[in-house]
Amino acid sequence: MQLEMAEAVAAAIAGNAVLVAEAGTGTGKTFAYLVPALLSGGKVIVSTGTKTLQDQLYDRDIPTVRDALRAPVTVALLKGRANYVCHHHLERTLRDGRLVSREEAGRLREIERFARTTQTGDKADCASVPEHAGIWSFVTSTRENCLGSQCAHYDACFVMAARRQALAADVVVINHHLFFADVVLRDEGASELLPACNTVVFDEAHQLPETAGLFFGESVSTSQLAQLARDARLEGVASAPDYAALPQACEALEKAARDLRLVFPEEGGRLPLAALAARAAFAGALDASLAALDRLAAELKGQAERSEGMARLWQRALAAAELAERWRSGVDEERVRWVELFGRSLQLNATPLSIAGIFARQIESQARAWIFTSATLSVNRDFSHYCGAMGLSSARTASWESPFDFARQSLLYVPERLPQPNTREHTAAVVAAAAPVIAAAGGGAFMLFTSLRAMREGYELMRAALEARGLAFPLLVQGEGSRSEMLVRFRGLGDAVLVGSQSFWEGVDVRGRALSVVVIDKLPFAPPEDPVLAARIDRMNREGRNAFLEYQVPEAVITLKQGAGRLIRDETDRGVLMICDPRIVSRGYGRRMIESLPPMRFTRKEADAVAFFATRP
């Protein structure tokens, strides 16, 4: 299977073709595409779904293949600029000294020491400061606030050094976000981030439709406005300390952005345009934010000649105002406008209803090979949903099953007499059904929920269930730490039960007895009230198509396959996959879902699931 996939990749590279390749867990798809890519003699870009996988490819997989082949290829790792320390912003933050806590001040000193000794400037290499610490936003740059060649530190810039290495390398490892950021820049006529190449390989390619939708759309957020105000205030201190109107305009914009977010009491969520009409204060707060943004732009324009930084800030303010105004007043049938809420910010989004045409133009404009690979791209070996979403009308498709013996190593268990998933008692029934199976396994379980509300309820119920049974399995819940930290704890404990939501559905690899049970509470249909999904469903139905069967079911199948894929990660693994949604056996589409999963033995009897672990060697 691995050899067949490698031959298919080699043929696609030789013919500058498009290949969509699905390879089950254990196929060895990484080596299957790396071997022909490294032997091709051309320049290769490998794009991954996460920075963790980027690091794994760069630090482990590519060196292993390169050494085995004795291929004299050079390799570079390139991340987005927010991953690299910026000398200019670090120096400015050290000079400003306005940090909100002593902890941030201590972390700033750690970063200062790191910047003096590091060769890469990559924040992932700064072990003493967490990657998600707030201080990083003060000492890294964005495309908007980078001074470019006008920066006094340009020759020592870590971002530029990484790009120079990428230009010179035979193989460049990036992630999907950086790839699409480059596409958007190229379409805008700006300089390219990525070098020209002969082959692009997308690993974890199932993530591409969503990522592409983000980048091919438009957005502006209150955090961007606050960042603009902060940068303008700092630039004013350095370049226009005598101009009092500038810090006043900055303060007004920061307040307006804060007030806009405070219109919504919710901690998070996605709201369609129609729902905003019910928020009487929203229109006024948005108007006030735009007025404050226009005022700051005017003040920056008046001071633009005093420094390059001031001139760039003026251009940033104009660009943000244009985006926000276009969102407020624009009518575009090809895009859906909506609002996303985060803990401390709000983002205005305009997302394309389809990226197929946009991405197809990228494929057609570049004479190169395009390889799309993942364990989850098809619905029962049918690639039409994925290829249609990505505009890959002429792609070759191929699928290879996992080499693992799922019939022997695993069991698919759908409990009997479960309530419907939209009922209040469903989560309690899931926990009650899962507890005896987890007990029989000796712990080592993921409980994956399709909503945060159900996850929190499931956590409390599972804690009570374990106590009632006198079981001392450690109980972890998503949010107690970063995903990587929680996985280290989970693996180390060996018998823990981890209750999670979206974060643990994919990209998680736990081998051995530490993960013996995967419980999925509901079939993972995206919430129909999601603004983008609702707009796509509405358009498809208006076109006379069946959006549920054509779009929602295939999307749910791919997500379900990702969740199920957590269970068997090695040829010695054994485990039970529990799907606690009766629709998988009672509805017609359920058969498509089961047939898309690996060929596991199937049962509806609790006794079979419990007995499965009695025979474990």
Side-chain angles (χ1 to χ4, degrees):
M1 287 177 286
Q2 187 184 49
L3 180 58
E4 289 178 8
M5 180 176 170
E7 290 172 343
V9 171
I13 293 174
N16 277 343
V18 180
L19 174 67
V20 178
E22 181 179 70
T25 307
T27 306
K29 63 182 173 65
T30 304
F31 284 12
Y33 68 70
L34 282 178
V35 169
L38 268 58
L39 290 175
S40 68
K43 184 143 190 156
V44 179
I45 289 177
V46 180
S47 179
T48 73
T50 64
K51 285 183 286 186
T52 301
L53 186 53
Q54 252 190 291
D55 291 334
Q56 178 183 311
L57 276 163
Y58 180 75
D59 294 329
R60 190 181 74 191
D61 295 340
I62 293 178
T64 299
V65 173
R66 180 177 58 186
D67 293 347
L69 296 174
R70 297 183 179 178
V73 297
T74 53
V75 186
L77 178 69
L78 185 60
K79 300 180 181 180
R81 62 168 64 250
N83 292 281
Y84 300 95
V85 175
C86 169
H87 292 296
H88 169 72
H89 287 92
L90 173 61
E91 182 181 88
R92 193 182 66 173
T93 303
L94 286 165
R95 186 171 60 240
D96 182 52
R98 296 193 194 185
L99 294 174
V100 297
S101 70
R102 183 174 298 175
E103 181 183 45
E104 277 193 336
R107 287 175 171 172
L108 179 62
R109 288 191 292 273
E110 289 288 332
I111 294 171
E112 182 186 16
R113 283 192 285 270
F114 169 71
R116 286 200 298 264
T117 58
T118 177
Q119 296 296 309
T120 66
D122 186 344
K123 69 181 185 181
D125 297 335
C126 184
S128 59
V129 180
E131 282 194 56
H132 298 293
I135 187 61
W136 285 115
S137 66
F138 289 82
V139 297
T140 55
S141 68
T142 65
R143 180 163 68 95
E144 291 79 14
N145 66 16
C146 173
L147 297 179
S149 59
Q150 302 299 315
C151 180
H153 303 280
Y154 183 76
D155 291 339
C157 176
F158 293 121
V159 173
M160 295 309 302
R163 289 185 185 172
R164 284 193 294 271
Q165 291 173 5
L167 284 169
D170 301 308
V171 179
V172 185
V173 183
I174 63 170
N175 62 47
H176 300 337
H177 284 80
L178 186 59
F179 177 85
F180 285 107
D182 179 61
V183 169
V184 170
L185 281 177
R186 206 180 313 126
D187 285 350
E188 292 174 353
S191 59
E192 298 180 34
L193 298 176
L194 305 177
C197 68
N198 304 95
T199 302
V200 178
V201 179
F202 292 108
D203 202 341
E204 299 299 314
H206 63 279
Q207 298 176 359
L208 290 178
E210 182 175 356
T211 306
L214 292 173
F215 280 90
F216 290 145
E218 292 182 341
S219 65
V220 61
S221 69
T222 55
S223 60
Q224 284 177 267
L225 300 184
Q227 175 81 46
L228 171 65
R230 187 180 79 193
D231 290 347
R233 177 178 59 78
L234 290 172
E235 185 63 31
V237 170
S239 304
D242 56 333
Y243 190 64
L246 183 58
Q248 292 169 4
C250 294
E251 185 178 341
L253 179 57
E254 285 185 287
K255 181 181 184 304
R258 254 192 329 268
D259 290 346
L260 180 57
R261 175 61 185 90
L262 291 173
V263 168
F264 303 91
E266 299 95 326
E267 289 184 11
R270 295 179 162 201
L271 301 173
L273 192 65
L276 301 176
R279 312 291 180 118
F282 174 72
L286 180 58
D287 289 345
S289 295
L290 284 176
L293 181 56
D294 288 342
R295 176 187 169 190
L296 178 58
E299 300 297 353
L300 289 167
K301 179 181 179 181
Q303 304 299 308
E305 293 184 357
R306 299 183 74 159
S307 72
E308 175 68 21
M310 203 71 82
R312 286 177 177 265
L313 283 162
W314 172 40
Q315 294 303 316
R316 278 175 62 190
L318 290 178
E322 182 180 348
L323 282 173
E325 182 58 46
R326 192 155 56 232
W327 187 93
R328 178 173 65 170
S329 58
V331 176
D332 185 347
E333 292 185 358
E334 297 303 314
R335 297 187 182 192
V336 54
R337 289 182 290 154
W338 55 288
V339 167
E340 185 159 18
L341 304 175
F342 302 96
R344 295 185 178 181
S345 67
L346 169 155
Q347 184 163 290
L348 309 175
N349 299 290
T351 304
L353 289 171
S354 171
I355 60 130
I358 306 171
F359 194 72
R361 288 193 292 274
Q362 301 299 324
I363 297 280
E364 293 162 2
S365 66
Q366 305 288 328
R368 58 173 59 138
W370 300 80
I371 314 297
F372 301 79
T373 185
S374 169
T376 55
L377 294 174
S378 75
V379 178
N380 198 16
R381 293 185 173 236
D382 180 356
F383 291 88
S384 57
H385 174 70
Y386 183 81
C387 290
M390 293 296 295
L392 307 177
S393 58
S394 61
R396 305 172 187 174
T397 62
S399 180
W400 293 274
E401 297 287 352
S402 168
F404 299 150
D405 186 354
F406 280 91
R408 179 185 61 82
Q409 292 178 247
S410 61
L411 181 70
L412 172 58
Y413 170 39
V414 180
E416 296 179 301
R417 295 180 294 277
L418 280 174
Q420 290 299 311
N422 59 350
T423 58
R424 177 172 289 182
E425 59 269 21
H426 180 261
T427 301
V430 170
V431 172
V437 180
I438 293 172
F446 274 2
M447 295 195 68
L448 301 179
F449 290 87
T450 52
S451 73
L452 292 174
R453 181 200 59 76
M455 181 195 78
R456 288 189 284 263
E457 182 184 357
Y459 170 71
E460 296 297 337
L461 290 167
M462 180 52 71
R463 183 167 59 182
L466 293 177
E467 289 176 359
R469 288 173 171 267
L471 298 172
F473 304 143
L475 186 62
L476 312 177
V477 64
Q478 177 180 317
E480 289 180 332
S482 71
R483 187 174 77 161
S484 57
E485 291 167 346
M486 294 192 70
L487 284 172
V488 169
R489 289 174 60 198
F490 183 83
R491 292 189 189 102
L493 289 165
D495 62 349
V497 178
L498 190 152
V499 182
S501 184
Q502 193 65 38
S503 294
F504 291 91
W505 276 76
E506 63 177 277
V508 174
D509 192 357
V510 180
R511 304 183 183 206
R513 291 198 179 199
L515 182 56
S516 299
V517 181
V518 171
V519 182
I520 293 175
D521 75 327
K522 300 176 185 178
L523 297 177
F525 288 105
E529 64 273 13
D530 178 89
V532 180
L533 175 60
R536 287 175 177 158
I537 290 172
D538 180 62
R539 168 183 270 198
M540 292 179 76
N541 289 337
R542 281 190 284 111
E543 292 172 347
R545 300 159 65 187
N546 187 324
F548 181 72
L549 292 179
E550 286 187 45
Y551 188 83
Q552 291 171 273
V553 169
E555 286 285 306
V557 169
I558 289 172
T559 306
L560 180 65
K561 288 168 69 175
Q562 280 291 328
R566 300 314 99 215
L567 183 64
I568 304 299
R569 308 296 298 176
D570 191 89
E571 60 187 11
T572 60
D573 284 355
R574 294 181 82 249
V576 169
L577 172 65
M578 284 184 65
I579 299 179
C580 300
D581 190 329
R583 293 176 296 179
I584 200 166
V585 292
S586 65
R587 303 291 175 87
Y589 57 78
R591 177 171 293 278
R592 289 175 68 190
M593 293 186 162
I594 291 176
E595 290 174 348
S596 294
L597 295 174
M600 303 176 174
R601 283 183 292 144
F602 177 82
T603 187
R604 302 209 66 193
K605 304 293 184 183
E606 178 186 300
D608 292 342
V610 170
F612 179 87
F613 294 105
T615 61
R616 182 158 61 181

